Amino acid sequence: MISRETIDKVFEAARVEEVIGDFVQLKRAGSNFKGLSPFSDERSPSFMVSPVKQIWKDFSSGKGGNSVAFLMEHEHFTYPEAIRYLAKKYNIEIEETELTDEEKANTDARESLYLVSEFAKNYFQDTLHNTEQGKAIGLSYFKERGFTTETIKKFGLGYSPEVWDAFSKEALGKGYKLEFLESTGLTIVREDKSVLDRFRGRVMFPIQSMSGRVLGFGGRILTQDKKAAKYLNSPESDLYHKSKVLYGIFHAKQAIAKQNNCYLVEGYTDVIQFNQAGIENVVASSGTALTPEQIRLINRLTKNITVLYDGDAAGLRASIRGIDLILEEGMNVRVCTFPEGEDPDSFAKKATHEELIKYLDENAKDFIQFKASLLMDEAKNDPIKKADLIRDMVVSISKIKDRIQREIYIQECSRIMDISEQVLLNTLAQLVQKDISEAGKKLKQDQKSFEVVKNEETISTEKIDVLNLLEKKILEILLIYGNIEIEFENVFIKYEDEKEVQVTEKVISKIFNRIYLNLQEDEIQFANPIFKDIYDDLIANYLNNDIFDSENYLNNLKPEFLPVVTDIYMDDEKHQLHGWLEKKQVFVKDKFNSEVLKSLVVDVIISYREYLINKLNSEQMIEILKPEIEDKTEILSSINDYNKLKVVISRSIGRIRPSSFLLNDF
């Protein structure tokens, strides 16, 4: 178990903007940073990072938290995994305490898969560098490809020996469980329960996540066995989903964000050779057809993709299929082809860094130019083929969301293909209208489903929403202003000479104490269970500590509380996403004005208590209308008591003005 001291050091060293910046392209927005949500498919930034508060909030999905919470959400790390990742990033030595038997038994199965995969990577590397077979076959192959020792180590390349069960025996001997070896696909268990290594006699390419964890492997066979696949990938598992990973993303992520461009290639060796040539912003689709999930992975880092494919027909066709998908994701795409007989690997191997950069700059074409140059040779003087080509180009243009970009590409297509803009615009309009029509049908279906649900709801839903707003506002006041001391008025009645006299008493009190005592007086419990738990946690924190340390509180907060708490902390910040810097002015500009704060606290407490009293009154009114209840005296008495209580509450708390925060602040 990781010691408390280590965890504290990690939180002290980790900067949320640096941690998230490794995964999401962030841009400065005032005192904060913004970017595209890594948790949803979007084209407008709704992801906000606050360096001052050291928290993040994704307004599209509702998720939020600190740097550890981000890693747990984005990389699916457990809490210890996230701490270890940050400790490694910030060069913090991890101190551990002994795990109990129960804690060992509860070790996450997913972590076991990661441990097995990491062991496999180390085993294959060791076999490559320290066995005769590995050096003679595997290392020789990599050297023949032109890879240096530094490059081989950087990408963790290895070799699996040509033995039926060498890896499996070694792993089982080291205490790794067969179920996890089988789950990762590294070991095949046959019907007779004997084991077989999946990657026998292959050079090995570890496939890493954006954070560097091993997800799976690609293995290339070196013999001339025509029955065996040239490349073999790990099967789908809890860790490895082929359509959602990009080879090389771990080594490329920072360069992609810095260069604001990603080179997309097809194979492992293409990525490695480019890296060795000094171009690091390159990833591979690992031989699979490009998927929307892979494109979105790049979209978190840059809007620009340059597709690099072989000069052969198959490679060019593959690039065409991927173009429309990239455009649909709202990204800019260029295509660069290599001379016939060359691929990115072979070309980068021959060229110097300067020559490679120059070639890419001079030969990367806009997708419309690329399609025209590629397909015009096929069309030649055939009018039907030329018409099909033009229609194909307009289909691609229709995928572009930005109307100005579409207009420019129509003009470019008109010029290249020598056809009037109006014809292209008419064709485009038909395609767009078709998409709108299909989207409309789906929307109508969704609306019908919504109406069914809506019609089943009652007015009580609205009341629950109001109660949520009130309870959330109380949490907001406690989180942001709870430790501030201000002067409140207590109003009470005393009798002098048998006359009722209203007396106002001024008291200095911390805001959290004022809220706590007033709610405790009525023994009020929050209706929203998560809000109740956060309220109890906050009050306990205030009562047990002289000073409320928000950063320390966030670092030790339960994961299930983080979305609500960060939502409150980031509420004002979200307006920077769209430049609404002055939108919320009620308590932003004058945050620490005691009169404004006092008014806010009083209004919220009264509104909350009055709401609950009105709710009880409504319940009593329903009871009084029931015909089976003949004696209504007790119910009427209760209603009367509740109404009196409302007056007492308003007096005792020293109400300053009519409640208006709900109108102004929500």
Side-chain angles (χ1 to χ4, degrees), residues 458-460 463 613-630 632 635-636 638-639 642:
T458 65
I459 196 163
S460 63
K463 293 180 180 178
I613 290 169
N614 289 335
K615 184 172 181 290
L616 290 169
N617 256 342
S618 298
E619 291 169 358
Q620 293 295 314
M621 292 300 293
I622 292 170
E623 288 294 310
I624 209 170
L625 294 173
K626 289 181 178 178
E628 64 267 24
I629 300 176
E630 295 180 3
K632 307 183 189 300
I635 298 174
L636 288 168
S638 294
I639 292 171
Y642 287 141

mmCIF file of all heavy atoms in Angstrom, residues 458-460 463 613-630 632 635-636 638-639 642:
data_model
loop_
_atom_site.group_PDB
_atom_site.id
_atom_site.type_symbol
_atom_site.label_atom_id
_atom_site.label_comp_id
_atom_site.label_asym_id
_atom_site.label_seq_id
_atom_site.Cartn_x
_atom_site.Cartn_y
_atom_site.Cartn_z
ATOM 1 N N THR A 458 -44.946 14.093 -13.238
ATOM 2 C CA THR A 458 -45.882 14.995 -12.578
ATOM 3 C C THR A 458 -45.166 16.262 -12.199
ATOM 4 O O THR A 458 -43.955 16.392 -12.350
ATOM 5 C CB THR A 458 -46.448 14.349 -11.301
ATOM 6 O OG1 THR A 458 -45.376 14.180 -10.386
ATOM 7 C CG2 THR A 458 -47.094 13.014 -11.584
ATOM 8 N N ILE A 459 -45.933 17.190 -11.656
ATOM 9 C CA ILE A 459 -45.373 18.480 -11.272
ATOM 10 C C ILE A 459 -44.340 18.344 -10.161
ATOM 11 O O ILE A 459 -43.536 19.231 -9.924
ATOM 12 C CB ILE A 459 -46.491 19.437 -10.840
ATOM 13 C CG1 ILE A 459 -45.987 20.877 -10.811
ATOM 14 C CG2 ILE A 459 -47.056 19.036 -9.476
ATOM 15 C CD1 ILE A 459 -47.079 21.908 -10.787
ATOM 16 N N SER A 460 -44.330 17.196 -9.483
ATOM 17 C CA SER A 460 -43.374 16.989 -8.397
ATOM 18 C C SER A 460 -41.941 17.023 -8.897
ATOM 19 O O SER A 460 -41.020 17.350 -8.161
ATOM 20 C CB SER A 460 -43.634 15.653 -7.709
ATOM 21 O OG SER A 460 -43.444 14.588 -8.611
ATOM 22 N N LYS A 463 -40.578 20.400 -8.488
ATOM 23 C CA LYS A 463 -40.273 20.698 -7.099
ATOM 24 C C LYS A 463 -38.951 20.071 -6.690
ATOM 25 O O LYS A 463 -38.172 20.660 -5.952
ATOM 26 C CB LYS A 463 -41.409 20.204 -6.203
ATOM 27 C CG LYS A 463 -42.716 20.965 -6.403
ATOM 28 C CD LYS A 463 -43.811 20.426 -5.495
ATOM 29 C CE LYS A 463 -45.105 21.193 -5.697
ATOM 30 N NZ LYS A 463 -46.198 20.659 -4.865
ATOM 31 N N ILE A 613 -41.163 23.693 4.582
ATOM 32 C CA ILE A 613 -42.423 23.922 5.304
ATOM 33 C C ILE A 613 -43.599 23.905 4.328
ATOM 34 O O ILE A 613 -44.642 23.298 4.594
ATOM 35 C CB ILE A 613 -42.371 25.260 6.074
ATOM 36 C CG1 ILE A 613 -41.388 25.140 7.240
ATOM 37 C CG2 ILE A 613 -43.752 25.649 6.585
ATOM 38 C CD1 ILE A 613 -41.065 26.454 7.893
ATOM 39 N N ASN A 614 -43.437 24.568 3.183
ATOM 40 C CA ASN A 614 -44.503 24.575 2.168
ATOM 41 C C ASN A 614 -44.793 23.161 1.662
ATOM 42 O O ASN A 614 -45.942 22.808 1.378
ATOM 43 C CB ASN A 614 -44.117 25.475 1.001
ATOM 44 C CG ASN A 614 -44.156 26.946 1.375
ATOM 45 O OD1 ASN A 614 -44.884 27.331 2.298
ATOM 46 N ND2 ASN A 614 -43.388 27.770 0.680
ATOM 47 N N LYS A 615 -43.718 22.387 1.548
ATOM 48 C CA LYS A 615 -43.880 21.000 1.094
ATOM 49 C C LYS A 615 -44.712 20.213 2.108
ATOM 50 O O LYS A 615 -45.630 19.464 1.746
ATOM 51 C CB LYS A 615 -42.503 20.359 0.914
ATOM 52 C CG LYS A 615 -42.512 18.943 0.340
ATOM 53 C CD LYS A 615 -41.081 18.507 0.039
ATOM 54 C CE LYS A 615 -41.048 17.107 -0.553
ATOM 55 N NZ LYS A 615 -41.396 16.067 0.424
ATOM 56 N N LEU A 616 -44.387 20.404 3.397
ATOM 57 C CA LEU A 616 -45.154 19.728 4.445
ATOM 58 C C LEU A 616 -46.603 20.209 4.452
ATOM 59 O O LEU A 616 -47.540 19.416 4.633
ATOM 60 C CB LEU A 616 -44.507 19.987 5.809
ATOM 61 C CG LEU A 616 -43.165 19.293 6.052
ATOM 62 C CD1 LEU A 616 -42.507 19.833 7.313
ATOM 63 C CD2 LEU A 616 -43.351 17.782 6.150
ATOM 64 N N ASN A 617 -46.780 21.518 4.259
ATOM 65 C CA ASN A 617 -48.130 22.076 4.187
ATOM 66 C C ASN A 617 -48.931 21.463 3.050
ATOM 67 O O ASN A 617 -50.118 21.155 3.176
ATOM 68 C CB ASN A 617 -48.068 23.595 4.015
ATOM 69 C CG ASN A 617 -48.388 24.334 5.313
ATOM 70 O OD1 ASN A 617 -48.959 23.754 6.234
ATOM 71 N ND2 ASN A 617 -48.045 25.605 5.386
ATOM 72 N N SER A 618 -48.269 21.311 1.881
ATOM 73 C CA SER A 618 -48.943 20.727 0.707
ATOM 74 C C SER A 618 -49.383 19.301 0.997
ATOM 75 O O SER A 618 -50.478 18.872 0.595
ATOM 76 C CB SER A 618 -47.996 20.741 -0.499
ATOM 77 O OG SER A 618 -47.656 22.061 -0.834
ATOM 78 N N GLU A 619 -48.514 18.564 1.690
ATOM 79 C CA GLU A 619 -48.856 17.186 2.033
ATOM 80 C C GLU A 619 -50.070 17.144 2.972
ATOM 81 O O GLU A 619 -50.933 16.270 2.864
ATOM 82 C CB GLU A 619 -47.647 16.501 2.682
ATOM 83 C CG GLU A 619 -46.504 16.250 1.705
ATOM 84 C CD GLU A 619 -45.227 15.812 2.402
ATOM 85 O OE1 GLU A 619 -45.233 15.735 3.657
ATOM 86 O OE2 GLU A 619 -44.226 15.553 1.696
ATOM 87 N N GLN A 620 -50.097 18.117 3.902
ATOM 88 C CA GLN A 620 -51.229 18.199 4.822
ATOM 89 C C GLN A 620 -52.519 18.558 4.085
ATOM 90 O O GLN A 620 -53.599 18.055 4.415
ATOM 91 C CB GLN A 620 -50.945 19.234 5.918
ATOM 92 C CG GLN A 620 -49.824 18.867 6.870
ATOM 93 C CD GLN A 620 -50.166 17.634 7.701
ATOM 94 O OE1 GLN A 620 -51.266 17.513 8.251
ATOM 95 N NE2 GLN A 620 -49.231 16.695 7.762
ATOM 96 N N MET A 621 -52.404 19.438 3.090
ATOM 97 C CA MET A 621 -53.578 19.845 2.303
ATOM 98 C C MET A 621 -54.149 18.657 1.529
ATOM 99 O O MET A 621 -55.365 18.528 1.360
ATOM 100 C CB MET A 621 -53.213 20.976 1.341
ATOM 101 C CG MET A 621 -52.887 22.296 2.016
ATOM 102 S SD MET A 621 -54.268 22.943 2.997
ATOM 103 C CE MET A 621 -55.443 23.313 1.699
ATOM 104 N N ILE A 622 -53.276 17.793 1.047
ATOM 105 C CA ILE A 622 -53.733 16.592 0.342
ATOM 106 C C ILE A 622 -54.493 15.686 1.303
ATOM 107 O O ILE A 622 -55.540 15.117 0.975
ATOM 108 C CB ILE A 622 -52.531 15.843 -0.284
ATOM 109 C CG1 ILE A 622 -51.925 16.681 -1.431
ATOM 110 C CG2 ILE A 622 -52.940 14.464 -0.788
ATOM 111 C CD1 ILE A 622 -50.612 16.160 -1.958
ATOM 112 N N GLU A 623 -53.951 15.603 2.531
ATOM 113 C CA GLU A 623 -54.591 14.764 3.547
ATOM 114 C C GLU A 623 -55.986 15.282 3.898
ATOM 115 O O GLU A 623 -56.928 14.510 4.064
ATOM 116 C CB GLU A 623 -53.725 14.718 4.810
ATOM 117 C CG GLU A 623 -52.458 13.899 4.684
ATOM 118 C CD GLU A 623 -52.756 12.426 4.486
ATOM 119 O OE1 GLU A 623 -53.559 11.869 5.255
ATOM 120 O OE2 GLU A 623 -52.213 11.840 3.514
ATOM 121 N N ILE A 624 -56.075 16.616 4.013
ATOM 122 C CA ILE A 624 -57.349 17.213 4.458
ATOM 123 C C ILE A 624 -58.470 17.005 3.445
ATOM 124 O O ILE A 624 -59.658 17.056 3.773
ATOM 125 C CB ILE A 624 -57.148 18.721 4.759
ATOM 126 C CG1 ILE A 624 -58.151 19.174 5.836
ATOM 127 C CG2 ILE A 624 -57.303 19.578 3.517
ATOM 128 C CD1 ILE A 624 -57.876 20.566 6.367
ATOM 129 N N LEU A 625 -58.104 16.776 2.184
ATOM 130 C CA LEU A 625 -59.102 16.588 1.129
ATOM 131 C C LEU A 625 -59.589 15.146 1.026
ATOM 132 O O LEU A 625 -60.529 14.858 0.282
ATOM 133 C CB LEU A 625 -58.519 17.035 -0.223
ATOM 134 C CG LEU A 625 -58.219 18.540 -0.360
ATOM 135 C CD1 LEU A 625 -57.498 18.821 -1.664
ATOM 136 C CD2 LEU A 625 -59.530 19.342 -0.291
ATOM 137 N N LYS A 626 -58.948 14.263 1.760
ATOM 138 C CA LYS A 626 -59.352 12.857 1.690
ATOM 139 C C LYS A 626 -60.688 12.666 2.412
ATOM 140 O O LYS A 626 -60.820 13.020 3.592
ATOM 141 C CB LYS A 626 -58.279 11.971 2.322
ATOM 142 C CG LYS A 626 -57.002 11.884 1.494
ATOM 143 C CD LYS A 626 -55.978 10.969 2.152
ATOM 144 C CE LYS A 626 -54.723 10.852 1.297
ATOM 145 N NZ LYS A 626 -53.701 10.009 1.945
ATOM 146 N N PRO A 627 -61.682 12.112 1.739
ATOM 147 C CA PRO A 627 -63.033 11.972 2.341
ATOM 148 C C PRO A 627 -63.051 11.036 3.541
ATOM 149 O O PRO A 627 -63.896 11.170 4.429
ATOM 150 C CB PRO A 627 -63.877 11.422 1.189
ATOM 151 C CG PRO A 627 -62.899 10.823 0.232
ATOM 152 C CD PRO A 627 -61.640 11.609 0.363
ATOM 153 N N GLU A 628 -62.142 10.081 3.592
ATOM 154 C CA GLU A 628 -62.167 9.121 4.696
ATOM 155 C C GLU A 628 -61.728 9.736 6.031
ATOM 156 O O GLU A 628 -61.946 9.155 7.097
ATOM 157 C CB GLU A 628 -61.302 7.888 4.361
ATOM 158 C CG GLU A 628 -59.815 8.174 4.190
ATOM 159 C CD GLU A 628 -59.455 8.454 2.735
ATOM 160 O OE1 GLU A 628 -60.358 8.871 1.973
ATOM 161 O OE2 GLU A 628 -58.289 8.254 2.378
ATOM 162 N N ILE A 629 -61.085 10.917 5.957
ATOM 163 C CA ILE A 629 -60.665 11.579 7.197
ATOM 164 C C ILE A 629 -61.767 12.541 7.627
ATOM 165 O O ILE A 629 -61.972 13.593 7.012
ATOM 166 C CB ILE A 629 -59.320 12.332 7.014
ATOM 167 C CG1 ILE A 629 -58.226 11.345 6.604
ATOM 168 C CG2 ILE A 629 -58.930 13.074 8.291
ATOM 169 C CD1 ILE A 629 -56.890 11.967 6.312
ATOM 170 N N GLU A 630 -62.489 12.175 8.675
ATOM 171 C CA GLU A 630 -63.620 12.993 9.124
ATOM 172 C C GLU A 630 -63.165 14.136 10.033
ATOM 173 O O GLU A 630 -63.581 15.281 9.876
ATOM 174 C CB GLU A 630 -64.644 12.112 9.858
ATOM 175 C CG GLU A 630 -65.290 11.071 8.935
ATOM 176 C CD GLU A 630 -66.288 10.206 9.675
ATOM 177 O OE1 GLU A 630 -66.510 10.454 10.887
ATOM 178 O OE2 GLU A 630 -66.846 9.283 9.049
ATOM 179 N N LYS A 632 -60.733 16.740 10.915
ATOM 180 C CA LYS A 632 -59.622 17.437 10.275
ATOM 181 C C LYS A 632 -58.954 18.445 11.217
ATOM 182 O O LYS A 632 -58.128 19.231 10.815
ATOM 183 C CB LYS A 632 -60.111 18.150 9.016
ATOM 184 C CG LYS A 632 -60.854 17.210 8.053
ATOM 185 C CD LYS A 632 -61.249 17.904 6.796
ATOM 186 C CE LYS A 632 -62.174 17.051 5.934
ATOM 187 N NZ LYS A 632 -61.614 15.793 5.503
ATOM 188 N N ILE A 635 -55.086 18.132 11.519
ATOM 189 C CA ILE A 635 -54.404 18.543 10.283
ATOM 190 C C ILE A 635 -54.393 20.062 10.174
ATOM 191 O O ILE A 635 -53.368 20.675 9.860
ATOM 192 C CB ILE A 635 -55.088 17.917 9.047
ATOM 193 C CG1 ILE A 635 -54.991 16.391 9.115
ATOM 194 C CG2 ILE A 635 -54.433 18.431 7.766
ATOM 195 C CD1 ILE A 635 -55.745 15.670 8.024
ATOM 196 N N LEU A 636 -55.543 20.691 10.451
ATOM 197 C CA LEU A 636 -55.627 22.157 10.390
ATOM 198 C C LEU A 636 -54.675 22.797 11.396
ATOM 199 O O LEU A 636 -54.050 23.823 11.128
ATOM 200 C CB LEU A 636 -57.066 22.605 10.648
ATOM 201 C CG LEU A 636 -58.068 22.331 9.527
ATOM 202 C CD1 LEU A 636 -59.494 22.561 10.018
ATOM 203 C CD2 LEU A 636 -57.764 23.205 8.308
ATOM 204 N N SER A 638 -51.854 21.519 12.431
ATOM 205 C CA SER A 638 -50.493 21.366 11.891
ATOM 206 C C SER A 638 -50.193 22.440 10.852
ATOM 207 O O SER A 638 -49.119 23.045 10.847
ATOM 208 C CB SER A 638 -50.321 19.984 11.264
ATOM 209 O OG SER A 638 -50.407 18.981 12.234
ATOM 210 N N ILE A 639 -51.166 22.669 9.962
ATOM 211 C CA ILE A 639 -50.989 23.695 8.924
ATOM 212 C C ILE A 639 -50.770 25.059 9.565
ATOM 213 O O ILE A 639 -49.905 25.832 9.157
ATOM 214 C CB ILE A 639 -52.205 23.719 7.976
ATOM 215 C CG1 ILE A 639 -52.259 22.421 7.154
ATOM 216 C CG2 ILE A 639 -52.147 24.937 7.050
ATOM 217 C CD1 ILE A 639 -53.536 22.252 6.351
ATOM 218 N N TYR A 642 -47.287 25.276 11.031
ATOM 219 C CA TYR A 642 -46.266 25.467 9.996
ATOM 220 C C TYR A 642 -46.219 26.922 9.529
ATOM 221 O O TYR A 642 -45.150 27.493 9.312
ATOM 222 C CB TYR A 642 -46.543 24.546 8.797
ATOM 223 C CG TYR A 642 -46.247 23.089 9.060
ATOM 224 C CD1 TYR A 642 -47.081 22.091 8.557
ATOM 225 C CD2 TYR A 642 -45.136 22.711 9.806
ATOM 226 C CE1 TYR A 642 -46.823 20.754 8.792
ATOM 227 C CE2 TYR A 642 -44.872 21.365 10.045
ATOM 228 C CZ TYR A 642 -45.718 20.388 9.547
ATOM 229 O OH TYR A 642 -45.447 19.069 9.780
#
